[in-house]
Amino acid sequence: MWALQTTLIRCTAFAAAALLPPPVLAHSFGRAYNLPVPFWLYAWGAAATLVASFLVVGYFASTASQRPGYRAVDVTDSRSFRRARTLKVPAVLKGLSLAGLLLCLVTGFAGTPSPYGNFNMTFFWIWFVLGLAYLSALIGDVYALINPWRVLADALAMPFKSYAAGRYRYPARLGYWPAVALYGAFIWIELFGGTGPYTLAVILSGYSFVNLVGVGLFGARDWFRYCEFFGLFLRLIATLAPVALEPDQAGQLRVRLRLPFTGVLEAPAENIGMLVFTLFMLSSTAFDGLRETAAWQRLFWLDLYQAGLQHWVGSNPLAAYPAMRQLFLYWQSFWLFASPFVYLAIYLAFVWLMQRCAGRGHPVRVLALRFAPTLLPIALVYNITHYYTLIQTQGVKIVSLASDPLGRGWNLFGTAHWLQRAIIPDLGTVWHVQVGLIVAGHVVSVYLAHQVALRTFNDRRRAVVSQLPMLALMVLFTTAGLWILSQPLVTPGSN
């Protein structure tokens, strides 16, 4: 009887969510926020900003910008970095990174099952996945130095000298596709896996095993370059940073300072696999926002059900609900994995238009790879706008969880009772920060795309004309992103 009542309530909730008038909810919150002005004004304002920025960049850009890259200052031999090497800071950071991974495993297997009371959930999902991405955008690819799985592989290579070299040559045709597949699996687990502390520990154990086996098969250099998706994700984000951390020919770390975002101009996508990975970074975040909207839920639970699914699962909504719920998971999973290829088709269409506008001097494939990194600022701001509030609401609790990582009432560092209450930001502030970040990210992408065009076409007029399709693409992405953020949301967990 209770199960029937629960099913009835859930079906009614879906119908209500689909049919109610559209108030606007800020992501990660459950109360309504009404926009101070109609959405279409935001959309037109954002589009106007992009067009204005395009005109300004096109007018003031000069042929002097066609030089191979902006000047970067090497500060490796400065007093601060020499002191850091003397104090063995890289080795300390590697040790802390490995300790963090091991602590996630221990707390997951032996700690409380409560997601909010276990150290590993907050540390991994908030500070590792989100915090490290934002840190990489500020100070460069620090993850390449402290990758805990590489630390483990290096440790294994000490007694087994041939381990890090691998047994087989990495197949060149695979490119970055293993990283794409692992990234897709990771996003699916994040969105639909319903992970708890124990499940997360199992997943991290499995991923550690995959990495160690992969290194043994193909070698540390190729595995961590092409297959370990965290490394690729953070390496791409780090091209936006004003700091470049790079090994020299002797394997020593070099540190260069450069203008923000200009690293993108030095790093075109190497192949289609890297292009798809870049688009997946963008599409997965957009899909995560879209799947929570009432419009998306209505499409499946009402429109598709009435259009034909009821002939397969039955016309009685109560009886059909279990089958519909399973089909909804398949539906969601399909569109998640299809999303980067949908974005790829759209992107290639606009690149083809770019080629037509600029002349047929460059193949579409070459242009697609060359302009792909200019989408990274959009991917970064999409990630920030959708998830940054999690740092305020749950991330701050890492201070108290550090004193009680297993959730057993400990107070190891005297901070167990600090920051117990989540910091809930004002919804109006959240919305305007989201709008500002999305517009700013697209403006930066417009600028970077124009700089790449100057280097590609070697003619100011052709460069400006070639960017008209890319401007249209940026306007499309901006409007779509703002529309997703402005939609009413279905309560998390109701799907």
Side-chain angles (χ1 to χ4, degrees):
M1 182 63 181
W2 173 252
L4 180 61
Q5 290 177 339
T6 302
T7 302
L8 179 60
I9 291 172
R10 295 175 74 89
C11 289
T12 303
F14 282 123
L19 297 175
L20 282 174
V24 177
L25 299 181
H27 278 62
S28 302
F29 298 93
R31 60 186 179 90
Y33 168 68
N34 295 316
L35 297 182
V37 297
F39 166 72
W40 64 268
L41 281 179
Y42 279 102
W44 278 106
T49 301
L50 289 179
V51 172
S53 65
F54 174 82
L55 295 175
V56 170
V57 170
Y59 181 79
F60 287 103
S62 65
T63 54
S65 297
Q66 296 177 23
R67 60 185 182 276
Y70 290 91
R71 181 174 178 268
V73 179
D74 193 317
V75 296
T76 308
D77 297 323
S78 66
R79 178 181 301 177
S80 297
F81 286 98
R82 288 203 307 268
R83 183 174 178 80
R85 285 198 297 269
T86 302
L87 295 175
K88 300 185 182 302
V89 171
V92 172
L93 293 177
K94 289 180 181 180
L96 292 175
S97 174
L98 181 58
L101 173 62
L102 296 177
L103 186 57
C104 282
L105 297 178
V106 171
T107 55
F109 287 124
T112 176
S114 170
Y116 297 100
N118 196 302
F119 175 87
N120 76 345
M121 294 290 286
T122 298
F123 179 80
F124 178 77
W125 291 112
I126 307 297
W127 290 109
F128 179 80
V129 175
L130 298 182
L132 195 53
Y134 306 155
L135 184 65
S136 299
L138 293 175
I139 65 171
D141 191 13
V142 65
Y143 177 77
L145 305 177
I146 64 171
N147 183 338
W149 292 285
R150 180 137 202 174
V151 175
L152 278 176
D154 291 342
L156 278 178
M158 291 181 181
F160 305 103
K161 301 300 183 182
S162 62
Y163 168 72
R167 299 191 61 181
Y168 307 102
R169 182 187 298 273
Y170 182 76
R173 64 181 181 275
L174 288 181
Y176 290 96
W177 289 109
V180 173
L182 289 171
Y183 181 69
F186 170 76
I187 296 299
W188 189 94
I189 291 171
E190 179 186 6
L191 300 186
F192 307 117
T195 56
Y198 180 83
T199 309
L200 176 59
V202 172
I203 293 170
L204 290 177
S205 299
Y207 189 62
S208 300
F209 177 78
V210 168
N211 277 305
L212 294 179
V213 172
V215 171
L217 291 176
F218 302 115
R221 184 192 63 181
D222 289 340
W223 179 264
F224 288 111
R225 177 174 180 81
Y226 295 106
C227 304
E228 205 277 292
F229 73 92
F230 283 120
L232 178 56
F233 177 87
L234 295 169
R235 187 165 81 242
L236 292 174
I237 292 294
T239 61
L240 304 173
V243 181
L245 306 176
E246 303 166 346
D248 59 17
Q249 294 181 349
Q252 299 296 316
L253 179 67
R254 308 298 299 181
V255 183
R256 296 186 300 124
L257 302 182
R258 62 194 179 194
L259 291 176
F261 311 114
T262 54
V264 165
L265 305 177
E266 305 170 3
E270 297 176 24
N271 50 41
I272 296 298
M274 181 179 280
L275 170 59
V276 172
F277 190 96
T278 302
L279 293 171
F280 210 170
M281 292 169 60
L282 180 60
S283 69
S284 60
T285 307
F287 175 79
D288 186 23
L290 177 64
R291 75 185 183 93
E292 296 178 345
T293 64
W296 179 258
Q297 302 280 340
R298 183 191 304 120
L299 173 63
F300 181 84
W301 289 95
L302 290 182
D303 298 342
L304 290 180
Y305 177 73
Q306 295 174 354
L309 287 181
Q310 61 180 337
H311 299 299
W312 294 88
V313 298
S315 58
N316 185 333
L318 293 178
Y321 176 75
M324 285 287 290
R325 183 179 175 85
Q326 189 64 39
L327 287 175
F328 190 47
L329 177 61
Y330 297 150
W331 164 264
Q332 299 257 63
S333 301
F334 170 79
W335 284 112
L336 169 64
F337 294 118
S339 65
F341 300 101
V342 173
Y343 272 56
L344 178 64
I346 296 172
Y347 175 69
L348 291 178
F350 280 90
V351 171
W352 177 80
L353 290 174
M354 179 202 307
Q355 183 206 46
R356 300 286 291 183
C357 290
R360 295 182 176 272
H362 297 81
V364 170
R365 184 180 186 276
V366 171
L367 294 177
L369 296 179
R370 192 166 294 178
F371 282 87
T374 65
L375 299 175
L376 288 172
I378 304 176
L380 177 63
V381 297
Y382 270 33
N383 186 286
I384 296 174
T385 56
H386 280 79
Y387 305 124
Y388 84 93
T389 54
L390 294 175
I391 295 178
Q392 296 175 271
T393 56
Q394 179 63 26
V396 295
K397 294 184 179 180
I398 195 69
V399 176
S400 59
L401 292 172
S403 283
D404 188 18
L406 299 177
R408 296 183 177 178
W410 298 347
N411 194 3
L412 300 176
F413 306 110
T415 62
H417 303 294
W418 293 14
L419 300 174
Q420 289 293 308
R421 299 182 61 183
I423 302 173
I424 306 298
D426 176 72
L427 297 187
T429 301
V430 170
W431 166 254
H432 286 97
V433 168
Q434 290 173 329
V435 172
L437 285 172
I438 285 182
V439 174
H442 285 81
V443 168
V444 170
S445 288
V446 167
Y447 170 77
L448 293 175
H450 187 79
Q451 294 299 318
V452 173
L454 285 172
R455 289 158 172 74
T456 300
F457 300 112
N458 296 316
D459 179 270
R460 183 175 178 180
R461 180 180 176 279
R462 290 180 66 201
V464 172
V465 172
S466 73
Q467 290 311 288
L468 291 175
M470 292 301 289
L471 173 63
L473 179 62
M474 298 303 176
V475 171
L476 175 63
F477 280 163
T478 303
T479 304
L482 292 178
W483 179 84
I484 290 173
L485 289 175
S486 71
Q487 290 300 294
L489 305 184
V490 173
T491 304
S494 63
N495 56 349

